[in-house]
Amino acid sequence: MSSLSGLPRRIIKETEKLLQDPVPGISAVPHEDNARYFNVIIQGPDSSPYEGGTFKLELFLPDDYPMAPPKVRFLTKIFHPNIDRLGRICLDILKDKWSPALQIRTVLLSIQALLSAPNPDDPLNNEAADLWKKDERRAIETAREYIRLYASE
Amino acid sequence: MINKYKLILTLDAMGNSWSNRNATSNQNVPNGTLGPRPPQNAAQRNEINPRMLFYNSEFAWNFGENVFEGLSPYNSNALDIPPPSVVHERTVRNVVRLSKSSLQLVPSTLPKCYVLQFHFDTLVDCGILTYFLAKEFQDDHLLSFSSQCCSQPSIQYFRAGLGQTYRQGEAEALNFSKVAKESLVYRETDEYPVIVEIKCNLSNTGQAGTLGTELSSRSENSTNEEIEGYYIYLSLDKEQISSGTFPLRVIKQKIIVHGVIYELEEIYGIDSGNTATAQGCVSSTCYSEDGTNCAICLSQPRDTALLPCRHMCLCSECAQRLRFQSNSCPICRQSVQSFLQVKGLQSHKNN
């Protein structure tokens, strides 16, 4: 963390808290060369279609953070109605519902919750959303198949 | 000691229409007195924001040499908006403090009958009355109450002093075999289960009686910015009905200063991370996580509340930044009309 000096106090505080007191099932570690870039790992929540999966994400804090939301993206391929092929996430708090009172911690918790509650009525991945609506059992099977292929350690 | 009992008075209730309407008259008000009276007509009052007073829940707030500033938000996207104005707020001295947790109905000497009891401190001689199941009437600048079930209550007088206890007269006890306990739960109607009226300015009421001589000497020293009347509206909690004790919850509070009636509004998050009072606030966890620090920088102590939502969640520095970058409260996303910075809060917390 060589670039720590120019970093806002808020980001330092959030990072310290994330490392000292991590959220269960979530790890977020800042990159050695860029303290605004985090390598994130989220465990698929229990009793969700993503149980047992280990998902890698990248999180970046833009210059105007916390006035602007962090940029978050799945690196691991995932079959989810609100996450597209490029890993982009459809989540209101990452867009218009962002508030500077939210934090890295709360954002990652929201993403974990999105895994527990896929919302096919607000789709970003139409293929997944259509299957979710037509045949939820097969959609969940597909999600599990993706985990076997891409999200198992 | 006297400094401990102060309230913040926001003179022009922050609504734009209100500010504009009174812009000229406010300037004519000499410093150290209160602003013009709000319109007395109820219809007029509804179309503008009500005047509000802000306080912290325990009233033990030492401001010292304080100045309050209300800053209007400034939206950089709309350049035709005039630059933000700075409004200096004045304080009102509160002379009566009620212990909210001590408010309860206790058994009277008669079976099944209960009387109101609470502890309080007062800096002036005062008179206290309790109304059960009463409706409120407002004429000119006076509040009056009429009870559906009980006769006009009698006033009890108290001298200035700390740690006093009010206990309602036995003759006014509420009989639970005649009045259902459920009726003491507030149902959002114009009938309030319990109203406590505290008259703090006895010289005006003509009821001072034997206390009269002392009162006249007091009024020479006192400023005009003192509370004349204090009204507390109470309700029983639904969950408490079956239990044997009857603590009461505050629904709202009003005070009269200089003949003007104000409703007291609590600032959420002003008490060092204690947010039990922030009812219905979706993201109250935002407070607890970082104690008393600003929700944006997480490092400076909070000293700025947003209006009208009354979330005290920012330090003054971040409030300045927020003014130029966003229009909504970080806690509830309600749009911000103005900022209320409370100077002197910090020195109190350090004590």
Side-chain angles (χ1 to χ4, degrees):
Chain A
M1 290 202 258
S2 52
S3 58
L4 206 82
S5 52
L7 217 55
R9 286 281 308 277
R10 151 132 185 182
I11 297 182
I12 298 171
K13 284 218 160 190
E14 277 201 67
T15 308
E16 281 171 358
K17 187 97 195 288
L18 278 169
L19 297 175
Q20 281 165 16
D21 181 18
V23 192
I26 297 175
S27 92
V29 183
H31 196 273
E32 280 178 13
D33 299 329
N34 185 352
R36 287 178 175 269
Y37 183 93
F38 288 74
N39 290 306
V40 179
I41 295 170
I42 297 182
Q43 303 294 338
D46 289 352
S47 34
S48 81
Y50 305 95
E51 184 174 356
T54 302
F55 301 93
K56 285 190 186 136
L57 297 88
E58 60 178 5
L59 181 146
F60 181 71
L61 304 175
D63 280 342
D64 43 356
Y65 178 83
M67 297 314 294
K71 298 186 190 309
V72 199
R73 191 171 78 95
F74 272 80
L75 297 174
T76 306
K77 265 172 93 89
I78 182 169
F79 190 74
H80 189 292
N82 312 106
I83 301 163
D84 74 4
R85 276 162 210 259
L86 299 172
R88 293 178 298 194
I89 304 161
C90 179
L91 191 60
D92 57 358
I93 61 158
L94 291 176
K95 297 183 180 90
D96 55 315
K97 286 288 176 352
W98 169 253
S99 150
L102 296 168
Q103 301 182 12
I104 300 174
R105 172 180 297 268
T106 40
V107 164
L108 295 179
L109 272 166
S110 299
I111 294 173
Q112 198 182 38
L114 190 66
L115 294 183
S116 291
N119 178 11
D121 292 324
D122 185 19
L124 192 62
N125 178 342
N126 283 321
E127 186 198 342
D130 288 347
L131 191 59
W132 229 274
K133 279 185 181 168
K134 260 190 267 166
D135 188 349
E136 188 174 332
R137 203 178 52 83
R138 244 185 70 212
I140 291 172
E141 269 172 28
T142 312
R144 293 229 164 95
E145 182 60 25
Y146 269 58
I147 291 173
R148 268 192 295 278
L149 290 170
Y150 310 111
S152 303
E153 275 187 320
Chain B
M1 157 75 219
I2 279 168
N3 275 343
K4 275 202 168 176
Y5 299 91
K6 279 190 171 181
L7 296 164
I8 317 168
L9 167 61
T10 67
L11 270 183
D12 47 2
M14 305 307 160
N16 285 333
S17 54
W18 177 248
S19 311
N20 294 342
R21 206 173 289 190
N22 292 279
T24 20
S25 49
N26 260 348
Q27 284 164 5
N28 297 333
V29 176
N31 199 15
T33 63
L34 297 172
R37 290 196 177 124
Q40 299 301 326
N41 178 311
Q44 260 178 295
R45 208 189 325 276
N46 284 341
E47 73 189 51
I48 56 162
N49 289 333
R51 294 186 146 204
M52 292 189 292
L53 279 165
F54 301 95
Y55 70 104
N56 69 326
S57 62
E58 280 308 320
F59 281 74
W61 212 18
N62 193 342
F63 289 112
E65 296 293 310
N66 48 5
V67 180
F68 302 98
E69 290 179 1
L71 304 169
S72 306
Y74 182 73
N75 187 343
S76 54
N77 297 330
L79 292 171
D80 52 334
I81 293 178
S85 61
V86 176
V87 182
H88 288 271
E89 307 299 342
R90 290 187 275 270
T91 58
V92 175
R93 196 168 76 114
N94 185 17
V95 289
V96 180
R97 191 190 82 98
L98 233 83
S99 162
K100 303 278 156 45
S101 56
S102 72
L103 282 158
Q104 59 175 324
L105 294 175
V106 294
S108 85
T109 46
L110 300 165
K112 289 210 163 185
C113 288
Y114 286 80
V115 291
L116 178 75
Q117 181 179 298
F118 60 84
H119 306 306
F120 67 101
D121 304 327
T122 174
L123 301 179
V124 296
D125 298 331
C126 66
I128 303 180
L129 302 99
T130 305
Y131 303 83
F132 283 121
L133 302 169
K135 285 184 180 168
E136 169 192 76
F137 297 95
Q138 193 172 335
D139 59 297
D140 273 349
H141 23 279
L142 276 176
L143 285 175
S144 58
F145 308 99
S146 103
S147 173
Q148 312 296 299
C149 72
C150 313
S151 53
Q152 179 69 19
S154 59
I155 189 164
Q156 286 185 37
Y157 292 102
F158 293 88
R159 299 211 168 232
L162 305 181
Q164 306 197 60
T165 300
Y166 167 83
R167 186 183 160 95
Q168 199 181 6
E170 299 289 331
E172 297 169 24
L174 193 67
N175 190 334
F176 275 160
S177 59
K178 286 181 186 156
V179 177
K181 290 170 192 166
E182 287 75 16
S183 61
L184 289 182
V185 178
Y186 181 54
R187 279 180 297 261
E188 313 277 329
T189 63
D190 61 344
E191 186 184 79
Y192 295 94
V194 185
I195 300 173
V196 177
E197 175 178 9
I198 303 179
K199 294 179 192 281
C200 311
N201 192 353
L202 296 177
S203 54
N204 275 4
T205 64
Q207 295 178 20
T210 53
L211 299 170
T213 45
E214 277 173 48
L215 285 167
S216 56
S217 64
R218 181 187 71 85
S219 56
E220 281 168 26
N221 299 331
S222 66
T223 66
N224 285 329
E225 303 199 341
E226 265 185 20
I227 291 180
E228 291 151 26
Y230 181 20
Y231 305 87
I232 306 103
Y233 302 70
L234 303 163
S235 166
L236 197 63
D237 266 328
K238 217 178 233 168
E239 297 78 45
Q240 295 290 346
I241 288 177
S242 48
S243 73
T245 58
F246 302 105
L248 295 165
R249 180 170 56 85
V250 177
I251 312 164
K252 68 166 132 177
Q253 303 176 83
K254 290 184 182 176
I255 61 169
I256 296 186
V257 183
H258 228 217
V260 182
I261 300 161
Y262 296 90
E263 185 159 348
L264 290 178
E265 302 279 4
E266 190 158 357
I267 294 180
Y268 302 127
I270 203 164
D271 300 322
S272 49
N274 173 13
T275 54
T277 46
Q279 293 160 352
C281 172
V282 209
S283 43
S284 58
T285 47
C286 298
Y287 288 134
S288 51
E289 190 155 303
D290 298 289
T292 60
N293 283 345
C294 164
I296 293 188
C297 66
L298 307 179
S299 359
Q300 296 295 316
R302 301 192 287 249
D303 66 0
T304 304
L306 309 181
L307 299 176
C309 65
R310 316 199 303 273
H311 285 114
M312 177 170 274
C313 57
L314 302 179
C315 68
S316 45
E317 216 172 292
C318 290
Q320 289 288 351
R321 284 175 61 204
L322 188 82
R323 279 165 82 202
F324 290 92
Q325 295 186 33
S326 165
N327 222 357
S328 59
C329 167
I331 303 299
C332 66
R333 300 194 182 95
Q334 197 176 329
S335 81
V336 179
Q337 287 179 16
S338 53
F339 296 83
L340 182 70
Q341 187 185 348
V342 183
K343 291 183 181 169
L345 187 61
Q346 201 37 44
S347 59
H348 168 57
K349 278 181 179 168
N350 288 343
N351 287 345

